[in-house]
Amino acid sequence: MNHLYLERHDTENNMHRFYQMFVTPGLFDDWSLIKEWGRVGSPGTVRKEWFDTQEEAIVARNKLCTAKCKKGYHAIRI
């Protein structure tokens, strides 16, 4: 699976956030990890990271996913 969508909800602090990640191929035999985050229901901030191989991009995505889950984010199926 090359797409992950995470959400974190804290109703006491009115915090409803999302974080999603995509691993996609580039034009020059490279790979990118596209990250988007923000408040649920609104457009988020988007950033890209470039990698030489798909495996490197997936490792970076999984590492980031683990860090987000430790902060209270939960994976949501889309």
Side-chain angles (χ1 to χ4, degrees):
M1 174 167 61
N2 287 330
H3 175 240
L4 288 175
Y5 182 82
L6 309 168
E7 284 189 0
R8 179 180 176 197
H9 297 280
D10 181 359
T11 53
E12 291 180 10
N13 295 318
N14 194 24
M15 180 188 301
H16 305 283
R17 299 183 183 268
F18 75 93
Y19 204 104
Q20 64 180 336
M21 298 168 269
F22 302 89
V23 173
T24 61
L27 296 175
F28 306 105
D29 291 330
D30 56 356
W31 289 83
S32 64
L33 172 59
I34 302 171
K35 305 175 284 188
E36 181 180 5
W37 65 91
R39 186 169 174 85
V40 172
S42 64
T45 302
V46 178
R47 296 285 186 268
K48 289 184 185 179
E49 276 186 70
W50 298 97
F51 298 91
D52 292 330
T53 65
Q54 181 182 16
E55 292 78 23
E56 290 175 351
I58 290 172
V59 167
R61 183 202 60 197
N62 292 343
K63 187 175 179 180
L64 184 58
C65 181
T66 301
K68 291 296 175 185
C69 289
K70 286 181 181 179
K71 290 185 176 185
Y73 283 82
H74 300 283
I76 305 293
R77 283 194 171 196
I78 302 176

